[in-house]
Amino acid sequence: MRGPGRPGQPGQPSGPGPRARAARALAQVTGRALGPYQSAVVRIGFAGTWLFFLLREIPNRHELYGPDSPWSWQLAERLTASNRAFTVLMWSDSTLWFEIVYAVSVLASALLVLGWRTRATSVVFMVGVLSLQNRSVFMGDGGDNVIHLMAIYLVLTRCAQVWSLDARRVRLRGSASAGAAGPVLWTVLGLVLAYGALAGRFGTGWLAAFAALWVGLGLWWLVDRYEPRGEGRAVLDVLANLLHNAGMLVIMAEVCLIYATAGWYKIQGSRWQDGTALYYPLGLDYFTPWPGLSGLLAGSGTLVMLLSYGTVAVQVAFPFTLFDRRVKNVLLAVMMLEHAGIAVLLGLPFFSLAMIAADAVFLPTAFLVWLGARAAALRPVRTRPRPEPAEPAGPPVPSEPSPVPR
């Protein structure tokens, strides 16, 4: 009589069936928000890039997006009326309103980098990005398009699970919604939403989207405050995990689409086919912040050819390497170095930062955990002063007799 055979032997089950695997995959997708470190890096990367851009352009803000822009308020009004793009800058043409929107955009970007009340600040960040970029559609170097899309996707993600003030609040106070700041922020956003709805500033789709977000934020706060371990919180967690995982999947698909389309369009260009495409921008004043370095690179035909062909090969191949972790990590490092080179050689720092932030969604978790540990080790540790130990009780020490006055 034979005993139980080993898995894989004839007549023995080799593993869980399709239903079990499907159930396990569903539990994985709904049970937790995947990629917490990757989503945190994407949040910090895009919010930080947009913040640096807004801060650098403060002296030029009126010419870029404000009342002195070559793309006048009337032209922007006609364009947004035709394509139904969303921008709160079209609510008024006053300079004061523009300054308020610009300042709120800067503040929301900084708060999103820090991860403060991320569910609400990610919505305000998205509104700021869409409002400024849709006001003047010809301002940007390509990185603005990536930030435009990612600002929308970040609203769907739970991108403050790590490396955020929200995560710190959970550790210290047991809940990310603790404190009075959440209800105050929710009330202010509700008043703005009500004004926009009553004044007819929103289209039907945008009004429905913002109303759903506002109601969802309020419902989450109520459940988190009064029923943190009940069935309602469990249902909201499942829905939030589904939205987060779907958002992360869309971000990864978007990055692959960007590289695939860029690579295949380059293949069709004659200058990329003969390996001379990088030579020409190195001779333009607009793309040569370091003329000496650009001239040195352009003077080597072999190096220009290798970089041109290498750029096309990496961009085309990257989406096909996602199933091989080692090859993917190598190409990921090459692409980040490529964007760093573009920032230095061609003077496109914000485009490069946006693309590096997009690439970060594919960084391995082990590397990000190690990076976070190293960053935490560099942070100064605050130690509370220890109380001095009390002296042990003992017999009183005899004091010297005081002199008797004579």
Side-chain angles (χ1 to χ4, degrees), residues 29-31 158 220 233-243 245:
V29 171
T30 60
R158 307 181 74 172
W220 185 279
R233 173 57 188 268
V235 172
L236 291 179
D237 272 329
V238 169
L239 294 176
N241 291 337
L242 284 173
L243 286 175
N245 295 330

Side-chain angles (χ1 to χ4, degrees), residues 271-284:
R271 296 293 179 247
W272 290 98
Q273 292 175 6
D274 60 24
T276 62
L278 292 183
Y279 172 80
Y280 299 98
L282 293 175
L284 299 175

Side-chain angles (χ1 to χ4, degrees), residues 143-196:
D144 58 314
N145 295 326
V146 182
I147 295 176
H148 192 106
L149 294 171
M150 298 302 174
I152 299 174
Y153 302 150
L154 278 175
V155 175
L156 304 176
T157 63
R158 307 181 74 172
C159 53
Q161 299 178 97
V162 296
W163 300 342
S164 68
L165 294 179
D166 287 350
R168 180 176 180 271
R169 194 180 305 111
V170 170
R171 292 194 303 269
L172 297 180
R173 306 178 67 176
S175 172
S177 61
V184 172
L185 183 59
W186 183 77
T187 303
V188 172
L189 295 179
L191 293 175
V192 175
L193 177 62
Y195 167 76

Side-chain angles (χ1 to χ4, degrees), residues 102-116:
Y102 199 94
V104 170
S105 299
V106 172
L107 179 62
S109 302
L111 293 178
L112 191 59
V113 170
L114 298 175
W116 182 83

